[in-house]
Amino acid sequence: MAPAAVSPTQKPAQLAVAPGLKKPFNGQDVAVEHDGTLSKPLADMLGNWEHFTFAPIRESTVSRAMTRRYFTDLDTYAESDIVIIGAGSCGLSAAYTLAKLRPDLRIAIVEAGVAPGGGAWLGGQLFSAMVMRKPADAFLREVGVPYEDEGDYVVVKHAALFTSTVLSKVLAMPNVKMFNATAVEDLITRTDAETGEVRVAGVVVNWTLVSMHHHDQSCMDPNTINAPVIISTTGHDGPFGAFSVKRLVSMKQIEQLEGMRGLDMQRAEDAIVKNTREIVPGLIVGGMELSEIDGANRMGPTFGAMALSGVKAAEEALRVFELRKKQNAL
């Protein structure tokens, strides 16, 4: 079952005043609640700043409010159903699809950066518009992102509109938790005693800043998340890119990486979506990480394949989930 919500019931924005006071808003007196707060629309604050003050709080309360929830999440998601590595456009699309189709599953997203979204905050060469070839416009309609129809392709006026929309929808889902500023340092594996087949059964994680300083610090052991299915969407080769497929090579589970080929949008996007798949038992690879293992072409600043590769990754995860869950229970 999906985890229960950690946060208390949400309340509307409140404006605090001294207990017992009445303050006219838009010409009307309003009664102050017993705790000294007013539940009023934000617009009613305008022009009434003279008596404004925030509700009282101790600094330790802020710390406890954050850490209590975070450590509850660490405990809850230490056993997850699906872990997604990377919160770029492919990983977020996979998370959205999974959480919508299976609200009963516990989904953890591990993102190395502080700001999720990967390369999808901008188009190419720091230009802001996002181009998606059809039929990826179906995903835009699904999540409610407006676009301009240009025939064979559509244009979102700013890539950040796409990224922030999908991100907000994913994070609002009660069965999803994102651990950002957190790096995957290794894969948890299981070896079948009879066949010798290696299965991926979770991820090894650490704070990203810690991962970046293993060369000059010591005794900084990682943490773990168990899950029967991992979806890796870490992008093409880079500081944290293509992590899972590079690890498969070092673990002798695949012979070598073919390496990303030159840019060819026509070939690249179809190949990435069609070849999104389970590479070894328990590990599904999507997005541009696939280009490193398959020798697919680079696609450049067009994002349709990223969104639809995430959708297919979710489909693949659900296809194998029950089998991998059963194997992990052994």
Side-chain angles (χ1 to χ4, degrees), residues 2-3 77 81-84 90-109 139 142-143 166-178 231 310-311 313-315 317-318:
Y77 286 87
D81 293 310
I82 296 175
V83 171
I84 298 172
C90 182
L92 290 175
S93 300
Y96 173 86
T97 305
L98 281 169
K100 185 170 183 180
L101 292 177
R102 290 290 301 271
D104 58 309
L105 297 183
R106 184 174 295 158
I107 302 163
I109 307 172
F139 188 77
E142 166 69 24
V143 297
V166 179
L167 183 60
S168 66
K169 289 182 179 293
V170 167
L171 294 180
M173 291 171 165
N175 60 324
V176 177
K177 171 62 184 181
M178 178 181 293
I231 299 175
V311 173
E315 182 182 18
L318 296 181

Side-chain angles (χ1 to χ4, degrees), residues 11 87 89 113 119 126 147 151 157 171 182 197 217 225 232 254 271:
K11 296 181 179 180
S89 48
L126 305 183
Y147 57 81
K157 69 177 184 178
L171 294 180
T182 304
E197 181 182 62
Q217 298 291 329
I225 302 175
S232 189
I254 57 177

Side-chain angles (χ1 to χ4, degrees), residues 106-305:
R106 184 174 295 158
I107 302 163
I109 307 172
V110 182
E111 165 56 41
V114 173
W121 288 110
L122 287 167
Q125 199 174 327
L126 305 183
F127 301 143
S128 57
M130 171 179 276
V131 176
M132 283 194 179
R133 293 164 62 198
K134 292 181 177 179
D137 56 318
F139 188 77
L140 297 177
R141 291 192 297 275
E142 166 69 24
V143 297
V145 176
Y147 57 81
E148 301 170 26
D149 194 323
E150 298 288 352
D152 289 337
Y153 65 95
V154 300
V155 181
V156 179
K157 69 177 184 178
H158 202 299
L161 176 59
F162 167 81
T163 306
S164 59
T165 300
V166 179
L167 183 60
S168 66
K169 289 182 179 293
V170 167
L171 294 180
M173 291 171 165
N175 60 324
V176 177
K177 171 62 184 181
M178 178 181 293
F179 298 96
N180 53 323
T182 304
V184 171
E185 291 191 338
D186 207 348
L187 302 172
I188 298 173
T189 60
R190 300 285 186 264
T191 303
D192 188 283
E194 296 182 1
T195 67
E197 181 182 62
V198 172
R199 187 179 74 256
V200 176
V203 294
V204 179
V205 299
N206 215 328
W207 309 126
T208 300
L209 291 177
V210 171
S211 294
M212 294 171 67
H213 284 276
H214 283 314
H215 65 286
D216 57 21
Q217 298 291 329
S218 62
C219 302
M220 296 187 293
D221 283 334
N223 209 342
T224 58
I225 302 175
N226 284 98
V229 176
I230 310 300
I231 299 175
S232 189
T233 65
T234 66
H236 52 70
D237 198 7
F240 293 99
F243 170 81
S244 296
V245 296
K246 287 189 289 189
R247 190 68 182 96
L248 291 181
V249 173
S250 63
M251 291 192 301
K252 311 298 184 184
Q253 294 308 297
I254 57 177
E255 185 175 344
Q256 65 180 28
L257 299 182
E258 294 299 324
M260 183 172 60
R261 302 296 197 264
L263 192 150
D264 185 339
M265 291 182 184
Q266 193 71 18
R267 293 170 59 88
E269 290 207 277
D270 288 358
I272 292 300
V273 175
K274 289 179 179 179
N275 292 326
T276 297
R277 67 194 186 278
E278 189 179 46
I279 301 296
V280 299
L283 179 68
I284 294 163
V285 178
M288 289 311 294
E289 188 167 0
L290 275 172
S291 66
E292 301 292 348
I293 194 171
D294 289 344
N297 292 91
R298 184 173 182 169
M299 69 180 58
T302 176
F303 291 83

